[in-house]
Coordinates of all heavy atoms in Angstrom, one line a residue:
M1 N 34.7 24.4 55.1 CA 33.9 24.7 56.3 C 32.5 25.2 55.9 O 32.3 26.2 55.0 CB 34.5 25.9 57.1 CG 33.9 26.0 58.5 SD 34.1 27.7 59.1 CE 35.9 27.9 59.1
Q2 N 31.4 24.6 56.4 CA 30.1 25.0 56.1 C 29.7 26.3 56.8 O 30.0 26.5 57.9 CB 29.1 23.8 56.5 CG 27.7 24.1 56.1 CD 27.6 24.3 54.5 OE1 28.2 23.7 53.8 NE2 26.9 25.3 54.1
V3 N 29.2 27.2 56.0 CA 28.8 28.5 56.6 C 27.5 28.9 55.9 O 27.3 28.7 54.7 CB 30.0 29.5 56.3 CG1 30.2 29.7 54.8 CG2 29.7 30.8 57.0
S4 N 26.6 29.6 56.8 CA 25.4 29.9 56.2 C 25.3 31.4 56.0 O 25.9 32.3 56.6 CB 24.3 29.5 57.2 OG 24.5 30.1 58.5
R5 N 24.3 31.8 55.1 CA 24.1 33.1 54.6 C 23.4 33.8 55.7 O 22.5 33.2 56.3 CB 23.3 33.1 53.4 CG 23.2 34.3 52.6 CD 23.0 34.0 51.0 NE 22.1 32.9 50.9 CZ 20.7 33.1 50.7 NH1 20.2 34.3 50.8 NH2 20.0 32.1 50.4
L6 N 23.7 35.1 56.0 CA 23.0 35.9 57.0 C 21.7 36.3 56.5 O 21.5 36.7 55.3 CB 23.8 37.1 57.4 CG 25.2 36.9 58.1 CD1 25.9 38.3 58.3 CD2 25.0 36.1 59.4
D7 N 20.6 36.3 57.3 CA 19.3 36.7 56.7 C 19.3 38.3 56.8 O 20.2 38.9 57.4 CB 18.1 36.0 57.5 CG 18.1 36.5 59.0 OD1 18.6 37.5 59.3 OD2 17.4 35.7 59.8
E8 N 18.3 38.9 56.4 CA 18.2 40.3 56.3 C 18.4 41.1 57.7 O 19.1 42.1 57.8 CB 16.9 40.8 55.6 CG 17.0 42.3 55.2 CD 15.8 42.7 54.5 OE1 15.0 41.8 54.0 OE2 15.5 44.0 54.4
A9 N 17.7 40.5 58.7 CA 17.9 41.1 60.1 C 19.2 41.1 60.5 O 19.8 42.1 61.0 CB 16.8 40.4 61.0
D10 N 19.9 39.9 60.4 CA 21.2 39.8 60.9 C 22.2 40.7 60.1 O 23.2 41.2 60.6 CB 21.7 38.3 60.8 CG 21.1 37.4 61.8 OD1 20.6 38.0 62.9 OD2 21.2 36.2 61.8
R11 N 21.9 40.7 58.8 CA 22.7 41.5 57.9 C 22.7 43.0 58.4 O 23.7 43.7 58.4 CB 22.3 41.4 56.5 CG 23.2 42.0 55.5 CD 22.7 41.7 54.1 NE 21.5 42.5 53.7 CZ 20.5 42.0 53.1 NH1 20.4 40.7 52.7 NH2 19.4 42.8 52.8
N12 N 21.5 43.5 58.6 CA 21.3 44.9 59.0 C 22.0 45.1 60.3 O 22.6 46.2 60.5 CB 19.9 45.2 59.1 CG 19.2 45.3 57.7 OD1 19.9 45.5 56.7 ND2 17.9 45.1 57.6
A13 N 21.9 44.2 61.3 CA 22.5 44.4 62.5 C 24.1 44.5 62.4 O 24.7 45.3 63.0 CB 22.1 43.2 63.5
V14 N 24.6 43.6 61.5 CA 26.0 43.5 61.3 C 26.5 44.8 60.6 O 27.6 45.3 61.0 CB 26.3 42.2 60.5 CG1 27.4 42.4 59.4 CG2 26.5 41.0 61.4
L15 N 25.8 45.3 59.7 CA 26.2 46.5 59.0 C 26.3 47.7 59.9 O 27.1 48.6 59.6 CB 25.2 46.8 57.8 CG 25.5 45.9 56.6 CD1 24.3 46.0 55.6 CD2 26.8 46.1 55.9
E16 N 25.5 47.7 61.0 CA 25.6 48.8 61.9 C 27.0 48.8 62.6 O 27.6 49.8 63.0 CB 24.6 48.7 62.9 CG 23.2 49.2 62.5 CD 22.2 49.2 63.5 OE1 22.5 49.4 64.7 OE2 21.0 49.0 63.1
Q17 N 27.6 47.6 62.7 CA 29.0 47.5 63.3 C 30.1 47.8 62.3 O 31.2 47.8 62.7 CB 29.2 46.1 63.9 CG 28.0 45.7 64.8 CD 27.8 46.7 66.0 OE1 28.7 47.2 66.6 NE2 26.5 47.0 66.2
L18 N 29.7 47.8 61.0 CA 30.7 48.0 59.9 C 30.3 49.3 59.1 O 30.0 49.2 57.9 CB 30.8 46.8 59.1 CG 31.2 45.5 59.7 CD1 31.1 44.3 58.7 CD2 32.7 45.6 60.1
P19 N 30.5 50.5 59.8 CA 29.9 51.7 59.0 C 30.7 52.1 57.7 O 30.1 52.8 57.0 CB 30.1 52.7 60.1 CG 31.0 52.3 61.1 CD 30.9 50.8 61.0
L20 N 31.8 51.5 57.6 CA 32.7 51.9 56.4 C 32.3 50.9 55.2 O 32.9 51.0 54.2 CB 34.1 51.8 56.7 CG 34.6 52.7 57.8 CD1 36.1 52.5 58.2 CD2 34.3 54.2 57.4
W21 N 31.4 49.9 55.5 CA 31.1 48.9 54.4 C 29.6 49.1 54.0 O 28.8 49.5 54.8 CB 31.3 47.6 55.0 CG 32.7 47.2 55.3 CD1 33.4 47.6 56.4 CD2 33.6 46.5 54.5 NE1 34.7 47.1 56.4 CE2 34.9 46.5 55.2 CE3 33.5 45.9 53.3 CZ2 36.0 45.9 54.7 CZ3 34.7 45.2 52.8 CH2 35.9 45.3 53.5
S22 N 29.3 48.9 52.7 CA 27.9 49.0 52.3 C 27.5 47.7 51.6 O 28.3 47.1 50.9 CB 27.7 50.3 51.5 OG 28.6 50.2 50.4
Y23 N 26.3 47.4 51.7 CA 25.7 46.2 51.2 C 25.4 46.4 49.7 O 24.8 47.4 49.3 CB 24.5 45.8 52.0 CG 24.0 44.3 51.5 CD1 24.8 43.2 51.6 CD2 22.8 44.2 50.7 CE1 24.3 42.0 51.1 CE2 22.3 43.0 50.3 CZ 23.1 41.9 50.5 OH 22.7 40.7 50.0
D24 N 25.9 45.5 48.9 CA 25.6 45.5 47.4 C 24.7 44.3 47.2 O 25.1 43.2 47.1 CB 27.0 45.4 46.7 CG 26.7 45.4 45.2 OD1 25.6 45.0 44.7 OD2 27.7 45.9 44.4
A25 N 23.4 44.6 46.9 CA 22.4 43.6 46.8 C 22.7 42.7 45.5 O 22.5 41.5 45.5 CB 21.0 44.1 46.7
D26 N 23.2 43.4 44.4 CA 23.4 42.6 43.2 C 24.6 41.6 43.4 O 24.5 40.5 43.0 CB 23.8 43.5 42.1 CG 22.6 44.4 41.7 OD1 21.5 43.9 41.8 OD2 22.8 45.5 41.2
A27 N 25.6 42.1 44.1 CA 26.8 41.3 44.3 C 26.6 40.4 45.6 O 27.4 39.5 45.8 CB 28.0 42.1 44.5
K28 N 25.6 40.6 46.4 CA 25.3 39.9 47.6 C 26.5 39.8 48.5 O 26.9 38.8 49.1 CB 24.9 38.4 47.2 CG 23.6 38.3 46.4 CD 23.3 36.9 46.2 CE 22.0 36.7 45.5 NZ 21.7 35.6 44.8
G29 N 27.0 41.1 48.6 CA 28.2 41.2 49.6 C 28.3 42.6 50.0 O 27.5 43.4 49.7
I30 N 29.4 42.8 50.7 CA 29.7 44.2 51.3 C 30.9 44.8 50.6 O 31.9 44.0 50.3 CB 29.8 44.2 52.8 CG1 30.8 43.1 53.3 CG2 28.5 44.0 53.5 CD1 31.1 43.2 54.8
R31 N 30.9 46.1 50.4 CA 31.9 46.8 49.7 C 32.6 47.8 50.6 O 31.8 48.5 51.3 CB 31.5 47.4 48.5 CG 30.9 46.5 47.4 CD 30.7 47.3 46.1 NE 30.2 46.5 45.0 CZ 31.0 45.7 44.3 NH1 32.3 45.8 44.5 NH2 30.5 44.9 43.3
R32 N 33.9 48.0 50.4 CA 34.6 49.1 50.9 C 35.6 49.6 49.9 O 36.4 48.8 49.4 CB 35.2 48.9 52.3 CG 35.9 50.0 52.9 CD 36.5 49.9 54.2 NE 37.3 51.1 54.6 CZ 38.1 51.2 55.6 NH1 38.2 50.3 56.5 NH2 38.8 52.3 55.8
T33 N 35.8 50.9 49.7 CA 36.9 51.4 48.9 C 37.9 52.2 49.8 O 37.4 53.0 50.7 CB 36.3 52.4 47.9 OG1 35.5 51.7 47.0 CG2 37.4 53.0 47.0
L34 N 39.2 51.9 49.6 CA 40.1 52.6 50.4 C 41.1 53.4 49.4 O 41.3 52.9 48.3 CB 41.0 51.7 51.2 CG 40.2 50.9 52.2 CD1 39.9 49.5 51.7 CD2 41.0 50.7 53.5
R35 N 41.6 54.5 49.9 CA 42.6 55.2 49.0 C 43.9 55.4 49.9 O 43.8 55.6 51.1 CB 42.0 56.6 48.7 CG 41.0 56.4 47.6 CD 40.5 57.8 46.9 NE 39.6 57.5 45.9 CZ 38.4 57.1 46.0 NH1 37.9 56.8 47.2 NH2 37.6 56.9 44.9
F36 N 45.0 55.3 49.2 CA 46.3 55.4 49.9 C 47.1 56.5 49.2 O 46.7 57.1 48.3 CB 47.0 54.1 49.7 CG 46.3 52.9 50.4 CD1 45.2 52.3 49.8 CD2 46.5 52.6 51.7 CE1 44.5 51.2 50.4 CE2 45.9 51.6 52.3 CZ 44.9 50.9 51.7
A37 N 48.3 56.7 49.8 CA 49.1 57.8 49.3 C 49.6 57.5 47.8 O 49.7 58.4 47.0 CB 50.3 58.1 50.2
D38 N 49.8 56.2 47.6 CA 50.4 55.8 46.3 C 50.2 54.3 46.1 O 49.7 53.7 46.9 CB 51.9 56.2 46.2 CG 52.7 55.7 47.3 OD1 52.4 54.7 47.9 OD2 53.7 56.4 47.6
F39 N 50.7 53.8 45.0 CA 50.5 52.4 44.8 C 51.3 51.5 45.7 O 50.7 50.4 46.1 CB 51.1 52.1 43.3 CG 51.1 50.6 43.0 CD1 49.8 50.0 42.7 CD2 52.2 49.9 43.0 CE1 49.8 48.7 42.4 CE2 52.2 48.5 42.7 CZ 51.0 47.9 42.3
A40 N 52.5 51.9 46.2 CA 53.2 51.1 47.1 C 52.4 50.9 48.4 O 52.4 49.8 49.0 CB 54.6 51.7 47.4
E41 N 51.8 51.9 48.9 CA 50.9 51.9 50.1 C 49.8 51.0 49.9 O 49.5 50.2 50.7 CB 50.6 53.2 50.6 CG 51.6 54.2 51.0 CD 52.2 53.8 52.4 OE1 51.5 53.2 53.2 OE2 53.4 54.1 52.6
A42 N 49.2 51.1 48.8 CA 47.9 50.4 48.4 C 48.4 48.9 48.3 O 47.7 47.9 48.9 CB 47.3 50.8 47.2
F43 N 49.4 48.5 47.6 CA 49.8 47.2 47.4 C 50.4 46.5 48.8 O 50.1 45.4 49.0 CB 50.8 47.0 46.3 CG 50.9 45.7 45.8 CD1 50.0 45.2 44.9 CD2 51.9 44.8 46.1 CE1 49.9 43.9 44.4 CE2 52.0 43.5 45.6 CZ 51.0 43.1 44.8
G44 N 51.0 47.4 49.6 CA 51.5 46.9 50.8 C 50.2 46.4 51.7 O 50.2 45.4 52.3
F45 N 49.2 47.3 51.7 CA 48.0 46.9 52.4 C 47.4 45.6 51.9 O 46.9 44.8 52.6 CB 47.0 48.1 52.3 CG 45.6 47.8 52.6 CD1 45.2 47.7 54.1 CD2 44.6 47.5 51.7 CE1 43.9 47.4 54.4 CE2 43.3 47.3 52.1 CZ 43.0 47.2 53.4
M46 N 47.3 45.4 50.5 CA 46.7 44.3 49.9 C 47.5 43.1 50.3 O 47.0 42.0 50.5 CB 46.7 44.5 48.4 CG 45.8 45.5 47.9 SD 45.8 45.8 46.1 CE 44.9 44.4 45.5
A47 N 48.8 43.2 50.4 CA 49.7 42.1 50.9 C 49.3 41.6 52.2 O 49.2 40.5 52.6 CB 51.1 42.4 50.8
R48 N 49.0 42.6 53.1 CA 48.7 42.3 54.6 C 47.2 41.7 54.5 O 47.1 40.7 55.3 CB 48.7 43.6 55.4 CG 50.1 44.1 55.6 CD 50.2 45.1 56.7 NE 49.6 46.4 56.3 CZ 50.1 47.3 55.5 NH1 51.3 47.2 55.0 NH2 49.5 48.4 55.3
V49 N 46.4 42.1 53.8 CA 45.0 41.5 53.7 C 45.1 40.1 53.1 O 44.5 39.2 53.6 CB 44.1 42.4 52.8 CG1 42.8 41.6 52.6 CG2 43.7 43.8 53.5
A50 N 46.0 39.9 52.2 CA 46.1 38.6 51.5 C 46.6 37.6 52.6 O 46.2 36.4 52.6 CB 47.2 38.6 50.4
I51 N 47.5 38.0 53.5 CA 47.9 37.1 54.6 C 46.8 36.7 55.5 O 46.5 35.6 55.9 CB 49.2 37.7 55.3 CG1 50.3 37.7 54.4 CG2 49.4 36.9 56.6 CD1 51.4 38.6 54.9
L52 N 46.0 37.8 55.9 CA 44.8 37.5 56.6 C 43.8 36.6 56.0 O 43.3 35.6 56.6 CB 44.0 38.8 56.9 CG 44.5 39.9 57.8 CD1 43.6 41.1 57.8 CD2 44.7 39.4 59.2
A53 N 43.7 36.8 54.7 CA 42.7 36.0 53.9 C 43.1 34.5 53.8 O 42.3 33.6 54.0 CB 42.5 36.6 52.5
E54 N 44.4 34.3 53.6 CA 44.9 32.9 53.6 C 44.7 32.2 55.0 O 44.3 31.1 55.0 CB 46.4 33.0 53.2 CG 46.6 32.9 51.7 CD 46.1 31.6 51.2 OE1 46.8 30.6 51.2 OE2 45.0 31.6 50.7
K55 N 45.0 33.0 56.0 CA 44.9 32.4 57.3 C 43.4 32.0 57.6 O 43.0 31.0 58.2 CB 45.4 33.3 58.4 CG 46.8 33.4 58.6 CD 47.2 34.1 59.8 CE 48.8 34.3 59.9 NZ 49.1 35.6 60.4
A56 N 42.5 32.9 57.2 CA 41.1 32.6 57.4 C 40.5 31.7 56.3 O 39.4 31.3 56.4 CB 40.3 33.9 57.3
D57 N 41.2 31.3 55.3 CA 40.7 30.6 54.1 C 39.4 31.3 53.6 O 38.4 30.6 53.3 CB 40.4 29.1 54.5 CG 40.2 28.4 53.2 OD1 40.7 28.7 52.1 OD2 39.4 27.4 53.3
H58 N 39.4 32.6 53.5 CA 38.3 33.4 53.0 C 38.9 34.6 52.3 O 39.7 35.3 52.8 CB 37.5 33.9 54.2 CG 36.1 34.3 53.8 ND1 35.2 33.5 53.2 CD2 35.5 35.6 53.7 CE1 34.1 34.2 52.8 NE2 34.3 35.4 53.2
H59 N 38.5 34.7 51.1 CA 39.3 35.6 50.1 C 38.5 36.7 49.5 O 37.3 36.4 49.1 CB 39.9 34.7 48.9 CG 40.8 33.6 49.6 ND1 40.3 32.4 49.9 CD2 42.1 33.6 49.9 CE1 41.3 31.7 50.3 NE2 42.4 32.4 50.4
P60 N 39.1 37.9 49.5 CA 38.3 39.0 48.9 C 38.2 39.0 47.3 O 39.1 38.5 46.7 CB 39.1 40.2 49.3 CG 40.5 39.7 49.5 CD 40.3 38.3 49.9
E61 N 37.2 39.6 46.8 CA 37.2 40.0 45.4 C 37.6 41.4 45.5 O 37.1 42.3 46.2 CB 35.8 39.8 44.8 CG 35.4 38.4 44.8 CD 33.9 38.3 44.1 OE1 33.6 39.1 43.3 OE2 33.3 37.3 44.5
W62 N 38.6 41.8 44.7 CA 39.1 43.2 44.8 C 39.7 43.8 43.5 O 39.9 43.0 42.6 CB 40.0 43.3 46.0 CG 41.2 42.5 46.0 CD1 41.7 41.5 45.1 CD2 42.1 42.3 47.1 NE1 42.8 40.9 45.5 CE2 43.1 41.3 46.8 CE3 42.2 42.9 48.4 CZ2 44.1 41.0 47.7 CZ3 43.2 42.5 49.3 CH2 44.1 41.5 48.9
F63 N 39.8 45.0 43.5 CA 40.2 45.7 42.3 C 41.2 46.8 42.7 O 40.8 47.6 43.7 CB 39.0 46.3 41.6 CG 39.3 47.0 40.3 CD1 39.6 46.4 39.2 CD2 39.3 48.5 40.3 CE1 39.9 47.1 38.0 CE2 39.5 49.1 39.1 CZ 39.8 48.5 38.0
N64 N 42.3 47.0 42.1 CA 43.1 48.0 42.4 C 43.6 48.8 41.2 O 43.9 48.3 40.1 CB 44.5 47.4 43.0 CG 45.6 48.3 43.1 OD1 46.7 47.9 42.4 ND2 45.6 49.5 43.7
V65 N 43.5 50.1 41.3 CA 44.2 51.1 40.4 C 45.0 52.1 41.2 O 44.4 52.8 42.0 CB 43.1 51.8 39.5 CG1 43.9 52.8 38.5 CG2 42.3 50.9 38.8
Y66 N 46.3 52.0 40.9 CA 47.3 53.0 41.6 C 47.0 53.0 43.1 O 47.4 52.1 43.7 CB 47.1 54.4 40.9 CG 48.1 55.3 41.6 CD1 49.5 55.1 41.6 CD2 47.7 56.6 42.0 CE1 50.4 55.9 42.3 CE2 48.6 57.6 42.6 CZ 49.9 57.2 42.7 OH 50.8 58.1 43.3
N67 N 46.4 54.1 43.7 CA 46.3 54.2 45.1 C 44.9 53.8 45.6 O 44.6 54.0 46.8 CB 46.6 55.6 45.5 CG 45.6 56.6 45.0 OD1 44.8 56.3 44.1 ND2 45.5 57.8 45.6
R68 N 44.1 53.2 44.8 CA 42.8 52.9 45.2 C 42.5 51.3 45.2 O 42.9 50.7 44.3 CB 41.8 53.4 44.1 CG 40.3 53.4 44.6 CD 39.3 54.2 43.6 NE 38.9 53.4 42.5 CZ 39.2 53.7 41.2 NH1 39.8 54.7 40.9 NH2 38.7 52.9 40.3
V69 N 41.9 50.9 46.3 CA 41.6 49.5 46.4 C 40.1 49.3 46.8 O 39.7 49.9 47.8 CB 42.4 48.8 47.6 CG1 42.1 47.3 47.7 CG2 43.9 49.0 47.3
E70 N 39.5 48.6 45.8 CA 38.0 48.3 46.1 C 37.9 46.9 46.5 O 38.4 46.0 45.8 CB 37.2 48.5 44.7 CG 37.3 50.0 44.2 CD 36.6 50.2 42.9 OE1 36.0 49.3 42.4 OE2 36.8 51.3 42.3
I71 N 37.2 46.7 47.6 CA 37.0 45.3 48.1 C 35.6 44.9 48.1 O 34.7 45.7 48.6 CB 37.6 45.2 49.5 CG1 39.1 45.7 49.6 CG2 37.5 43.8 50.1 CD1 39.7 45.8 50.9
L72 N 35.3 43.7 47.7 CA 33.9 43.1 47.8 C 34.1 41.8 48.7 O 34.9 41.0 48.3 CB 33.4 42.8 46.5 CG 32.1 41.9 46.5 CD1 30.9 42.7 47.1 CD2 31.7 41.5 45.1
L73 N 33.4 41.7 49.7 CA 33.4 40.4 50.5 C 32.1 39.7 50.4 O 31.0 40.3 50.6 CB 33.7 40.8 51.9 CG 35.0 41.5 52.2 CD1 35.1 41.8 53.8 CD2 36.2 40.6 51.7
T74 N 32.1 38.6 49.9 CA 30.9 37.7 49.8 C 31.4 36.2 49.9 O 32.5 36.0 49.8 CB 30.1 37.9 48.4 OG1 28.9 37.1 48.4 CG2 31.0 37.5 47.3
T75 N 30.4 35.4 50.3 CA 30.8 34.0 50.6 C 30.3 33.1 49.5 O 29.0 32.9 49.4 CB 30.3 33.5 51.9 OG1 30.9 34.4 52.9 CG2 30.8 32.1 52.2
H76 N 31.2 32.7 48.6 CA 30.7 31.9 47.4 C 30.1 30.6 47.9 O 29.0 30.2 47.3 CB 32.0 31.6 46.5 CG 32.7 32.8 46.2 ND1 34.1 32.9 46.5 CD2 32.4 34.1 45.7 CE1 34.5 34.1 46.2 NE2 33.4 34.8 45.6
D77 N 30.6 30.0 48.9 CA 30.0 28.8 49.3 C 28.6 28.8 49.9 O 27.8 27.9 49.9 CB 30.9 28.1 50.5 CG 32.3 27.7 49.9 OD1 32.4 27.7 48.7 OD2 33.2 27.6 50.8
A78 N 28.3 30.1 50.4 CA 27.0 30.3 51.0 C 26.0 31.1 50.0 O 24.8 31.3 50.3 CB 27.1 31.1 52.3
G79 N 26.5 31.6 48.9 CA 25.7 32.3 48.0 C 25.3 33.6 48.5 O 24.2 34.2 48.2
G80 N 26.1 34.4 49.3 CA 25.8 35.6 49.8 C 26.7 36.0 51.0 O 27.7 35.4 51.3
L81 N 26.2 37.0 51.8 CA 26.9 37.4 53.0 C 26.8 36.4 54.1 O 25.8 36.0 54.5 CB 26.4 38.8 53.4 CG 27.3 39.5 54.3 CD1 28.5 40.1 53.7 CD2 26.5 40.7 55.0
S82 N 28.0 36.2 54.7 CA 28.0 35.3 55.9 C 28.9 35.9 57.0 O 29.6 36.9 56.8 CB 28.6 33.9 55.4 OG 30.0 34.0 55.4
R83 N 28.9 35.3 58.1 CA 29.8 35.7 59.2 C 31.2 35.8 58.8 O 31.9 36.5 59.4 CB 29.5 34.7 60.4 CG 30.3 34.8 61.6 CD 30.3 36.1 62.3 NE 28.9 36.5 62.6 CZ 28.6 37.6 63.3 NH1 29.6 38.5 63.5 NH2 27.4 38.0 63.6
R84 N 31.6 34.9 57.9 CA 33.1 35.0 57.5 C 33.4 36.3 56.8 O 34.5 36.8 57.0 CB 33.3 33.8 56.6 CG 33.1 32.4 57.1 CD 33.3 31.4 56.2 NE 34.8 31.1 56.1 CZ 35.4 30.3 55.3 NH1 34.6 29.6 54.3 NH2 36.7 30.0 55.3
D85 N 32.5 36.9 56.1 CA 32.7 38.3 55.5 C 32.8 39.3 56.5 O 33.6 40.1 56.5 CB 31.6 38.5 54.5 CG 31.5 37.4 53.4 OD1 32.4 37.2 52.7 OD2 30.4 36.9 53.3
V86 N 31.9 39.1 57.5 CA 31.9 40.1 58.6 C 33.2 40.1 59.3 O 33.8 41.2 59.6 CB 30.7 39.8 59.6 CG1 30.7 40.8 60.8 CG2 29.4 39.9 58.7
D87 N 33.7 38.9 59.6 CA 35.0 38.7 60.5 C 36.1 39.3 59.6 O 37.0 39.9 60.1 CB 35.2 37.3 60.7 CG 34.2 36.7 61.7 OD1 33.5 37.5 62.4 OD2 34.1 35.5 61.9
L88 N 36.1 38.9 58.3 CA 37.2 39.5 57.4 C 37.2 41.0 57.4 O 38.1 41.7 57.4 CB 37.3 38.8 56.1 CG 38.4 39.2 55.1 CD1 39.7 38.9 55.9 CD2 38.3 38.5 53.9
A89 N 35.9 41.5 57.2 CA 35.8 43.0 57.1 C 36.3 43.7 58.3 O 37.0 44.7 58.3 CB 34.3 43.3 56.9
A90 N 36.0 43.1 59.5 CA 36.5 43.7 60.8 C 38.1 43.6 60.9 O 38.7 44.5 61.3 CB 35.9 43.0 61.9
A91 N 38.6 42.5 60.4 CA 40.0 42.3 60.4 C 40.7 43.3 59.4 O 41.8 43.9 59.7 CB 40.4 40.9 60.0
I92 N 40.1 43.6 58.3 CA 40.6 44.6 57.3 C 40.5 46.0 58.0 O 41.4 46.8 57.9 CB 39.8 44.5 56.0 CG1 40.2 43.3 55.3 CG2 40.1 45.8 55.2 CD1 39.3 42.9 54.1
D93 N 39.4 46.3 58.6 CA 39.3 47.6 59.3 C 40.3 47.8 60.3 O 40.9 48.9 60.4 CB 37.9 47.8 60.0 CG 36.8 48.0 59.0 OD1 37.0 48.2 57.7 OD2 35.6 47.9 59.4
A94 N 40.7 46.7 60.9 CA 41.7 46.9 62.0 C 43.1 47.1 61.5 O 43.9 47.7 62.2 CB 41.7 45.6 62.9
I95 N 43.4 46.7 60.3 CA 44.7 47.0 59.8 C 44.7 48.1 58.8 O 45.8 48.6 58.2 CB 45.4 45.7 59.1 CG1 44.7 45.3 57.9 CG2 45.6 44.7 60.1 CD1 45.4 44.2 57.0
A96 N 43.7 48.7 58.4 CA 43.5 49.8 57.4 C 44.0 51.1 58.1 O 43.7 51.3 59.3 CB 42.1 50.0 56.9
P97 N 44.5 52.0 57.4 CA 44.9 53.3 57.9 C 43.6 54.0 58.3 O 42.6 53.8 57.6 CB 45.7 54.0 56.8 CG 45.7 53.1 55.6 CD 45.0 51.9 55.9
T98 N 43.6 54.8 59.4 CA 42.3 55.4 59.7 C 42.0 56.5 58.8 O 42.9 57.2 58.2 CB 42.5 56.1 61.1 OG1 43.8 56.7 61.2 CG2 42.5 55.0 62.3
A99 N 40.7 56.5 58.4 CA 40.2 57.4 57.3 C 40.4 58.9 57.6 O 40.4 59.2 58.7 CB 38.8 57.1 57.0
Ligands
H2B101 C1 37.9 25.1 49.7 C2 37.9 26.6 50.4 O1 37.9 26.5 51.7 C3 36.8 27.4 49.9 O2 36.7 27.4 48.5 C4 36.8 28.8 50.5 C5 38.1 29.6 50.0 N1 37.8 31.0 50.1 C6 36.7 31.5 49.9 N2 36.4 32.9 49.9 C7 35.3 33.4 49.7 N3 35.2 34.7 49.6 N4 34.2 32.7 49.7 C8 34.2 31.3 49.9 O3 33.2 30.7 49.7 C9 35.5 30.7 50.0 N5 35.6 29.5 50.2

């Protein structure tokens, strides 16, 4: 699916709706770090995100150590942040435990 990169104005507008995510200019994407009670909780969350990602055909770059999950969302096909990242971020927020 063709998807375009958000320009700076759209990106700033979108980030206001995603206060738990921050823009990483070097990675050209948005990041969020989550902490859980333990590894089982963290990995269970990752499994739920994996199902969302497969359905959306849009996949996170992520890193897990024990109870910590670091997520980077960027759109490789667009060379930066796109609406697909924003949609996946919102879907992740919706299933994440409240901070
Ligand atoms: C062919 C397939 O649809 C594409 O490669 C999808 C898969 N998942 C993807 N995930 C991410 N994060 N960016 C993409 O550009 C992307 N493209």
Side-chain angles (χ1 to χ4, degrees):
M1 189 209 300
Q2 187 52 46
V3 62
S4 56
R5 197 153 40 92
L6 298 178
D7 66 22
E8 192 178 343
D10 283 344
R11 191 175 73 222
N12 290 336
V14 144
L15 282 169
E16 284 184 29
Q17 307 306 313
L18 296 172
L20 301 174
W21 297 79
S22 54
Y23 185 66
D24 179 333
D26 292 331
K28 296 184 176 158
I30 50 175
R31 293 190 181 280
R32 181 179 173 186
T33 296
L34 299 101
R35 285 187 177 72
F36 297 86
D38 55 25
F39 177 75
E41 293 287 332
F43 200 78
F45 168 77
M46 292 174 79
R48 291 192 292 280
V49 172
I51 291 166
L52 290 179
E54 269 299 277
K55 280 192 184 141
D57 191 29
H58 196 65
H59 302 88
E61 297 181 26
W62 53 9
F63 180 77
N64 161 242
V65 177
Y66 182 51
N67 67 341
R68 189 172 88 240
V69 180
E70 299 174 9
I71 304 176
L72 168 68
L73 300 179
T74 184
T75 301
H76 310 121
D77 296 343
L81 191 72
S82 79
R83 173 59 56 183
R84 301 180 79 188
D85 301 304
V86 175
D87 292 347
L88 184 56
I92 289 171
D93 284 351
I95 64 165
T98 45

